[in-house]
Amino acid sequence: MTQNATKTITVLGATGSVGLSTLDLVRRAPEEFRVVALTANSRVQELAALAKEFRPAVAVIGRQDKYPELKDALAGTGIECAAGDEALACAAAMTADIVMAAIVGAAGLAPTLAAVRTGTTVALANKECLVCAGDLMMQEVSKHGARLLPVDSEHNAIFQVFDVNHTNTVKRLVLTASGGPFLRRNSATFSTIKPSEAVAHPNWDMGAKISVDSATMMNKGLEVIEAFHLFPVEKDQIDILIHPQSVIHSMVEYIDGSTLAQLGSPDMRVPIASCLAWPDRMQTPARRLDLAAIGSLTFERPDYEKFKCMALAKAALNIGGAAPAVLNAANEVAVAAFLSEQIAFTDIPEIVEQTLHKCDMKEPHSLPNVIEIDVEARRVAVSQIAQLK
Ligand code: NAD
Ligand code: MG
């Protein structure tokens, strides 16, 4: 950053892929950031090591049973320790200039909302919270004067090239998608895909859940829903374009035929840095883009038959009401079951579709109501999995 004012930062999901990339940038700019709170779910030793390095006021572990281990690990450091859901929300609500919301899944909803309600700047990686409670979340953002900065690379790209002062000149958003590891694989063999193959993304190094979502392309469907909530466009103004090199991170097309894009090497530290330094910019160690070495960029249309999850997510957005929350919950259950080898890769869209058919689609009216919908959809998804056997 060009200015030298220290920013205070909280990282929710500090031990994850986005959390660690965020802290890597903080580590490289020690004068520019001071860490307020760090949270994790179960990896106590990793959290404790990060806390010792970054010296937050508070370290919180989601799992209550891990509290003694955390307290032990941080004994004598003066860092306050806490555990459980309430403690996560309290950490999220501590005064900080920026809160990085990088918990995976609907578990991130309550802490992210707690941060939003302080009216601060929230760097949002946790796309699932917009998928399951987008309207409520955006209402809270405007009610509390908070600012959401999109971390997801596509949304960050759009944020960088979206003309907020002339929104009526935007014709459409083009979300680029690498296509994941199975873009070229014959779908007849999809049922034999192993978790280790699904988490091996060709371009990005990410957590297990989002890697599987990229393999099923549910991730791109979730991102369409995310984009719908983040930007003032209609549902039919958001398109998906396959771009296997992941160099163009997304585009905005304007009414005059101009299309603006953001490009960069596939390294999450670029969009994260854009949020951390916003509205300024900061240095990152990301590999510079060498377009001559890359040679060519290619594009193709998405295949909704082959990647049914993408179609299901778009359908859930069009149905509206509780459908996106149900879709998200069923997907989280199905992905976890796939990762633990209880179901096949091809069962993921089946479980999501059956759960969508069986759940009530009434619009959630409050956060507790979203959580009820989420819990019920998970119950239905689990029962659908049981019936597969
Ligand atoms: P990850 O699995 O690597 O890390 C998740 C983090 O969340 C961990 O710190 C974990 O401790 C914490 N967590 C998990 N369950 C929790 C719970 N129940 N309560 C509290 N904390 C919990 O995930 P990730 O890849 O870093 O992704 C994080 C979020 O960012 C996801 O929503 C993902 O979709 C989004 N995202 C990630 C990337 C990426 O490159 N990894 C890119 C774009 C968007
Ligand atoms: Mg993305």
Side-chain angles (χ1 to χ4, degrees), residues 287-323:
R287 193 164 40 82
R288 299 297 111 164
L289 197 56
D290 182 349
L291 288 173
I294 293 167
S296 61
L297 300 179
T298 60
F299 306 94
E300 52 200 271
R301 289 186 211 294
D303 184 340
Y304 289 96
E305 300 269 311
K306 186 169 175 180
F307 296 101
K308 287 188 196 128
C309 284
M310 204 169 34
L312 289 169
K314 279 196 137 189
L317 175 62
N318 287 326
I319 295 165

Coordinates of all heavy atoms in Angstrom, one line a residue, residues 287-323:
R287 N 3.0 -14.7 -9.2 CA 3.7 -14.8 -10.4 C 3.1 -13.8 -11.4 O 1.9 -13.6 -11.5 CB 3.6 -16.2 -11.0 CG 4.5 -16.5 -12.1 CD 4.6 -18.1 -12.4 NE 3.3 -18.7 -12.2 CZ 2.3 -18.8 -13.2 NH1 2.5 -18.2 -14.4 NH2 1.2 -19.4 -13.0
R288 N 4.0 -13.0 -12.1 CA 3.5 -12.0 -13.0 C 2.9 -12.7 -14.3 O 3.4 -13.8 -14.6 CB 4.6 -11.0 -13.5 CG 5.2 -10.2 -12.3 CD 4.2 -9.3 -11.7 NE 3.9 -9.8 -10.3 CZ 3.3 -9.0 -9.4 NH1 2.9 -7.8 -9.7 NH2 3.0 -9.5 -8.2
L289 N 2.0 -12.1 -14.8 CA 1.3 -12.7 -16.0 C 2.2 -12.5 -17.2 O 2.6 -11.4 -17.6 CB 0.0 -12.0 -16.2 CG -1.0 -12.6 -17.1 CD1 -1.4 -14.0 -16.6 CD2 -2.3 -11.8 -17.1
D290 N 2.6 -13.6 -17.8 CA 3.4 -13.6 -19.0 C 2.6 -14.1 -20.2 O 2.6 -15.3 -20.5 CB 4.7 -14.4 -18.8 CG 5.7 -14.4 -20.0 OD1 5.3 -13.8 -21.1 OD2 6.8 -14.8 -19.8
L291 N 1.9 -13.2 -20.8 CA 0.9 -13.7 -21.9 C 1.6 -14.3 -23.1 O 1.1 -15.2 -23.7 CB 0.0 -12.5 -22.3 CG -1.0 -12.1 -21.2 CD1 -1.8 -10.8 -21.7 CD2 -2.0 -13.2 -21.0
A292 N 2.8 -13.8 -23.4 CA 3.6 -14.3 -24.5 C 3.9 -15.8 -24.2 O 3.9 -16.6 -25.1 CB 4.8 -13.5 -24.8
A293 N 4.3 -16.1 -23.0 CA 4.6 -17.5 -22.6 C 3.4 -18.3 -22.6 O 3.4 -19.5 -23.0 CB 5.3 -17.5 -21.2
I294 N 2.2 -17.8 -22.2 CA 1.0 -18.5 -22.2 C 0.6 -18.8 -23.7 O 0.1 -19.8 -24.0 CB -0.1 -17.8 -21.4 CG1 0.3 -17.8 -19.9 CG2 -1.5 -18.5 -21.6 CD1 -0.5 -16.8 -19.1
G295 N 0.8 -17.8 -24.5 CA 0.5 -18.0 -25.9 C -0.9 -17.8 -26.4 O -1.2 -16.9 -27.1
S296 N -1.8 -18.6 -25.9 CA -3.2 -18.5 -26.3 C -4.2 -18.7 -25.1 O -3.9 -19.5 -24.2 CB -3.5 -19.4 -27.5 OG -3.4 -20.7 -27.0
L297 N -5.3 -18.0 -25.2 CA -6.3 -18.1 -24.3 C -7.5 -18.7 -25.0 O -7.8 -18.3 -26.1 CB -6.7 -16.8 -23.7 CG -5.6 -16.0 -22.9 CD1 -6.1 -14.7 -22.4 CD2 -5.1 -16.9 -21.7
T298 N -8.2 -19.7 -24.5 CA -9.3 -20.4 -25.2 C -10.6 -20.3 -24.4 O -10.5 -20.1 -23.1 CB -9.0 -21.8 -25.5 OG1 -8.8 -22.5 -24.3 CG2 -7.7 -22.0 -26.4
F299 N -11.7 -20.4 -25.1 CA -13.0 -20.3 -24.5 C -14.0 -21.3 -25.1 O -13.8 -21.6 -26.3 CB -13.5 -18.8 -24.7 CG -12.5 -17.8 -24.3 CD1 -11.6 -17.2 -25.2 CD2 -12.5 -17.4 -22.9 CE1 -10.7 -16.3 -24.7 CE2 -11.6 -16.5 -22.5 CZ -10.7 -15.9 -23.4
E300 N -14.9 -21.7 -24.3 CA -16.0 -22.6 -24.8 C -17.2 -22.4 -24.0 O -17.2 -21.9 -22.9 CB -15.5 -24.0 -24.9 CG -14.9 -24.6 -23.6 CD -14.1 -25.8 -23.9 OE1 -14.6 -26.9 -23.9 OE2 -12.8 -25.7 -24.0
R301 N -18.3 -22.9 -24.5 CA -19.6 -22.8 -23.8 C -19.7 -23.9 -22.7 O -19.1 -25.0 -22.9 CB -20.8 -23.0 -24.7 CG -20.9 -21.8 -25.6 CD -22.2 -21.9 -26.5 NE -21.9 -21.2 -27.8 CZ -21.7 -19.9 -27.9 NH1 -21.8 -19.1 -26.9 NH2 -21.5 -19.4 -29.1
P302 N -20.3 -23.6 -21.6 CA -20.5 -24.6 -20.6 C -21.4 -25.7 -21.0 O -22.4 -25.5 -21.7 CB -21.0 -23.8 -19.4 CG -21.7 -22.6 -19.9 CD -21.0 -22.3 -21.2
D303 N -21.2 -27.0 -20.5 CA -22.0 -28.1 -20.8 C -22.9 -28.4 -19.5 O -22.4 -29.1 -18.6 CB -21.1 -29.3 -21.2 CG -21.9 -30.5 -21.6 OD1 -23.1 -30.6 -21.3 OD2 -21.3 -31.4 -22.3
Y304 N -24.1 -28.0 -19.6 CA -25.0 -28.2 -18.4 C -25.5 -29.6 -18.3 O -26.0 -30.0 -17.2 CB -26.2 -27.2 -18.5 CG -25.8 -25.8 -18.3 CD1 -25.6 -25.0 -19.4 CD2 -25.7 -25.3 -17.0 CE1 -25.2 -23.6 -19.2 CE2 -25.4 -23.9 -16.8 CZ -25.1 -23.1 -17.9 OH -24.7 -21.8 -17.7
E305 N -25.4 -30.4 -19.3 CA -25.8 -31.9 -19.2 C -24.7 -32.6 -18.5 O -25.0 -33.5 -17.7 CB -26.0 -32.4 -20.7 CG -27.0 -31.7 -21.5 CD -28.3 -32.4 -21.3 OE1 -28.4 -33.6 -21.4 OE2 -29.3 -31.6 -21.1
K306 N -23.5 -32.3 -18.9 CA -22.4 -33.1 -18.3 C -22.2 -32.7 -16.8 O -21.9 -33.5 -15.9 CB -21.1 -32.8 -19.1 CG -19.9 -33.6 -18.7 CD -18.8 -33.4 -19.7 CE -17.5 -34.1 -19.3 NZ -16.4 -33.9 -20.3
F307 N -22.3 -31.4 -16.5 CA -22.2 -30.8 -15.2 C -23.5 -30.4 -14.6 O -23.8 -29.2 -14.6 CB -21.1 -29.7 -15.2 CG -19.7 -30.2 -15.6 CD1 -19.3 -30.0 -16.9 CD2 -19.0 -31.0 -14.7 CE1 -18.0 -30.5 -17.3 CE2 -17.7 -31.5 -15.1 CZ -17.2 -31.3 -16.3
K308 N -24.3 -31.4 -14.2 CA -25.7 -31.1 -13.8 C -25.8 -30.1 -12.6 O -26.8 -29.4 -12.4 CB -26.4 -32.4 -13.4 CG -26.7 -33.3 -14.5 CD -27.5 -34.4 -14.1 CE -27.6 -35.5 -15.1 NZ -27.2 -36.8 -14.6
C309 N -24.7 -30.1 -11.7 CA -24.8 -29.3 -10.5 C -24.9 -27.8 -10.9 O -25.6 -27.0 -10.3 CB -23.6 -29.4 -9.7 SG -23.6 -31.0 -8.7
M310 N -24.3 -27.4 -12.0 CA -24.3 -26.0 -12.5 C -25.8 -25.7 -12.9 O -26.2 -24.6 -12.6 CB -23.4 -26.0 -13.7 CG -22.8 -24.6 -14.0 SD -21.5 -24.7 -15.2 CE -21.9 -25.9 -16.4
A311 N -26.4 -26.6 -13.6 CA -27.8 -26.4 -14.0 C -28.7 -26.3 -12.7 O -29.7 -25.5 -12.7 CB -28.3 -27.5 -14.9
L312 N -28.5 -27.2 -11.8 CA -29.3 -27.2 -10.5 C -29.2 -25.9 -9.8 O -30.2 -25.4 -9.3 CB -28.9 -28.4 -9.6 CG -29.2 -29.8 -10.1 CD1 -28.5 -30.8 -9.3 CD2 -30.8 -30.0 -10.1
A313 N -28.0 -25.3 -9.7 CA -27.8 -24.1 -9.0 C -28.5 -22.9 -9.7 O -29.2 -22.1 -9.1 CB -26.3 -23.8 -8.9
K314 N -28.4 -22.9 -11.0 CA -29.1 -21.9 -11.8 C -30.6 -22.0 -11.6 O -31.4 -21.0 -11.5 CB -28.8 -22.0 -13.3 CG -27.5 -21.3 -13.6 CD -27.3 -21.1 -15.1 CE -26.8 -19.7 -15.4 NZ -26.8 -19.4 -16.8
A315 N -31.1 -23.3 -11.6 CA -32.5 -23.5 -11.4 C -33.0 -23.0 -10.0 O -34.0 -22.4 -9.8 CB -32.9 -25.0 -11.5
A316 N -32.1 -23.3 -9.0 CA -32.4 -22.9 -7.6 C -32.5 -21.3 -7.5 O -33.4 -20.8 -6.9 CB -31.4 -23.4 -6.6
L317 N -31.6 -20.7 -8.2 CA -31.7 -19.2 -8.3 C -33.0 -18.7 -8.9 O -33.7 -17.8 -8.4 CB -30.5 -18.6 -9.0 CG -30.5 -17.1 -9.2 CD1 -30.4 -16.4 -7.9 CD2 -29.3 -16.7 -10.1
N318 N -33.4 -19.4 -10.0 CA -34.7 -19.0 -10.6 C -35.9 -19.3 -9.8 O -36.9 -18.6 -9.7 CB -34.8 -19.6 -12.0 CG -33.8 -19.0 -13.0 OD1 -33.6 -17.8 -12.9 ND2 -33.2 -19.7 -13.9
I319 N -35.9 -20.4 -9.1 CA -37.0 -20.8 -8.2 C -37.1 -19.8 -7.0 O -38.1 -19.3 -6.6 CB -36.8 -22.2 -7.6 CG1 -36.9 -23.3 -8.7 CG2 -37.9 -22.5 -6.5 CD1 -36.4 -24.7 -8.3
G320 N -35.9 -19.4 -6.5 CA -35.9 -18.4 -5.4 C -36.3 -19.0 -4.1 O -36.3 -20.2 -3.9
G321 N -36.8 -18.1 -3.2 CA -37.2 -18.6 -1.9 C -36.1 -19.3 -1.2 O -35.0 -18.9 -1.2
A322 N -36.5 -20.5 -0.6 CA -35.5 -21.3 0.1 C -34.6 -22.1 -0.8 O -33.6 -22.8 -0.3 CB -36.2 -22.2 1.1
A323 N -34.9 -22.2 -2.1 CA -34.2 -23.1 -3.0 C -32.7 -23.0 -2.9 O -32.0 -24.1 -2.8 CB -34.7 -23.0 -4.4

